[in-house]
Amino acid sequence: MHSPKTRYLVFFQYFGTNYSGVMETLTDQPVLGVQNYLERAAQNLRPVTPIKFYVSSRTDTGVHALGNSAHLDIQRAAGKPPLPESVIVSALNYYLKPEPIRILSAYRVSDNFHARFSALSRTYVYRLVTGCSHHSQIPVFERDLCWAPKGDHLNVPAVQEAADSLLGTHDFSTFRSVSSEKPFKSPIKTLAQADIRPSSGFMSHHYEYRGLQFWELEFKSRSFLYRQVRRMAGALVAVGQGRLAPYRIKELLEIRDPLAYPLNTMAPAAGLFLKSVEYDEADLETEGNAAK
C-alpha cells in the first residue's frame, strides 16, 4: 500500500535560450526541454512512482518565462504525509541549481485541477529595442532578451492603432504558424489585451547616450495559437516601421489564411516572455496558502 497521490501546482521561470523549449524531448537529444530538468529534479523527492509535469503553456526554443506553470502528482510510501509546499519549492530549486530554472511557488490543489485547462488567461510580453543599426549594438546584457528590428524609429500611435484591431474575438488563422497544430484545433481566440508601451533595459541609464529605446508589446488571452504572439508582434513592428499600413492588420485577420502572412515578418524567439498564467484564486486555496 502507498499513500494517496497529492496534486500540486507549481509556478516556475526560466531563461529559454539553451533549451529546446519548455516541453520534454527524448533524453538522447543534444538539447533538452525545461520539462526534462524539472522531472529529473523531482525524482529526488523520492516518489513511489515517477513524477510527470503537466505544463500549462508551451514555449519554443529561445522563448523565456517569467511565470509558467505546471501540475504534478506526488505519491509517497505508505504512512508518509504529503510534502509541504515549502519543501517542494526548496527541494526542486536545490536540484535545479546548475540550470537557469527556478520554482517560484507551489500550491496544493484538488485532484481534478489541470494546469493547462484550468487556466483563465495567459499573458505574453515581447521586448524590443530601437536605435540599433546592427544587432551587434544590442547591449551585452540584453542579448537573447530582446529584438532589435532595423531602423531607429517606431511609429507608436500606428502600432497601437493596429493592435486595437486585434482585440476581441476573431479567427486568427493568418497569425498561426503554417502546418503547425492539428487542423481541428479552433483558430477562434479572444484577445483581451494588445498594447505597446515604453520600457527600460538592464541598467539602461548607464548608456542613455547611445539613444536606445526599449519597448514592450503585451498580449493577453485565455490561449494562443502556435507562434501567434510572434506573428502578431512581427506584424505590429512592420506597421511601426511603415512597411505595413495599420488597416492591413484587420485585412490579414479577415483573410484567415496563414499563407497570406507577409514573408520574413515574424518576430524572432529572443524577446518573447511568457509573463504569467492566471487561475481562479479559489482553485489555489484548496489546501491553504502557497509556499513561496
Side-chain angles (χ1 to χ4, degrees):
M1 292 292 292
H2 304 304
S3 295
K5 288 183 179 180
T6 304
R7 180 161 294 185
Y8 299 87
L9 171 70
V10 296
F11 290 92
F12 58 100
Q13 61 182 202
Y14 48 89
F15 184 80
T17 302
N18 296 325
Y19 301 111
S20 66
V22 69
M23 307 305 290
E24 68 178 334
T25 61
L26 296 175
T27 55
D28 60 355
Q29 299 298 306
V31 181
L32 301 179
V34 173
Q35 184 180 351
N36 292 81
Y37 293 94
L38 291 170
E39 293 180 355
R40 183 184 300 175
Q43 304 320 311
N44 291 286
L45 299 175
R46 298 182 180 177
V48 171
T49 56
I51 294 173
K52 181 173 179 60
F53 279 67
Y54 295 86
V55 179
S56 72
S57 307
R58 172 179 176 170
T59 60
D60 283 344
T61 303
V63 177
H64 316 289
L66 300 175
N68 206 337
S69 60
H71 77 260
L72 59 149
D73 294 326
I74 301 178
Q75 187 170 23
R76 307 189 72 200
K80 288 186 176 289
L83 289 170
E85 292 94 327
S86 59
V87 171
I88 301 291
V89 174
S90 59
L92 290 180
N93 280 333
Y94 177 83
Y95 290 106
L96 285 165
K97 274 192 300 186
E99 299 296 325
I101 306 169
R102 289 295 175 269
I103 306 299
L104 301 172
S105 57
Y107 295 80
R108 189 171 167 185
V109 293
S110 65
D111 291 343
N112 61 2
F113 178 91
H114 196 287
R116 178 183 173 191
F117 300 115
S118 299
L120 298 179
S121 63
R122 295 161 174 86
T123 302
Y124 283 87
V125 169
Y126 197 97
R127 297 183 70 240
L128 306 163
V129 58
T130 54
C132 295
S133 59
H134 189 269
H135 65 81
S136 63
Q137 294 179 335
I138 297 175
V140 65
F141 296 110
E142 292 287 350
R143 289 179 185 172
D144 300 321
L145 296 174
C146 64
W147 175 32
K150 293 180 179 179
D152 58 2
H153 174 73
L154 279 181
N155 184 338
V156 174
V159 172
Q160 190 59 63
E161 178 187 346
D164 289 344
S165 65
L166 294 169
L167 293 172
T169 302
H170 304 282
D171 182 326
F172 280 92
S173 291
T174 302
F175 293 91
R176 82 192 307 173
S177 191
V178 179
S179 69
S180 62
E181 303 173 312
K182 297 177 181 177
F184 57 77
K185 183 168 184 178
S186 173
I188 307 299
K189 300 294 176 184
T190 300
L191 201 62
Q193 180 182 3
D195 53 42
I196 182 171
R197 60 176 177 267
S199 184
S200 60
F202 179 74
M203 299 185 74
S204 57
H205 56 286
H206 287 293
Y207 46 83
E208 289 176 345
Y209 66 93
R210 293 180 54 185
L212 303 184
Q213 173 62 59
F214 289 85
W215 303 91
E216 289 182 0
L217 291 163
E218 188 161 332
F219 305 95
K220 181 176 182 178
S221 178
R222 180 161 190 171
S223 62
F224 293 88
L225 298 169
Y226 183 47
R227 292 185 174 171
Q228 179 186 342
V229 175
R230 287 172 59 190
R231 287 165 76 91
M232 290 190 300
L236 292 177
V237 168
V239 169
Q241 295 172 322
R243 294 190 292 118
L244 288 178
Y247 69 82
R248 280 288 292 149
I249 301 301
K250 184 179 180 186
E251 289 183 349
L252 288 171
L253 273 175
E254 294 171 347
I255 293 171
R256 299 187 297 240
D257 180 1
L259 295 176
Y261 185 81
L263 292 175
N264 304 315
T265 299
M266 184 173 71
L272 180 58
F273 292 75
L274 172 58
K275 176 182 176 180
S276 59
V277 183
E278 294 81 28
Y279 297 94
D280 187 328
E281 288 187 8
D283 287 338
L284 309 185
E285 295 172 353
T286 306
E287 297 293 338
N289 295 326
K292 299 182 180 179

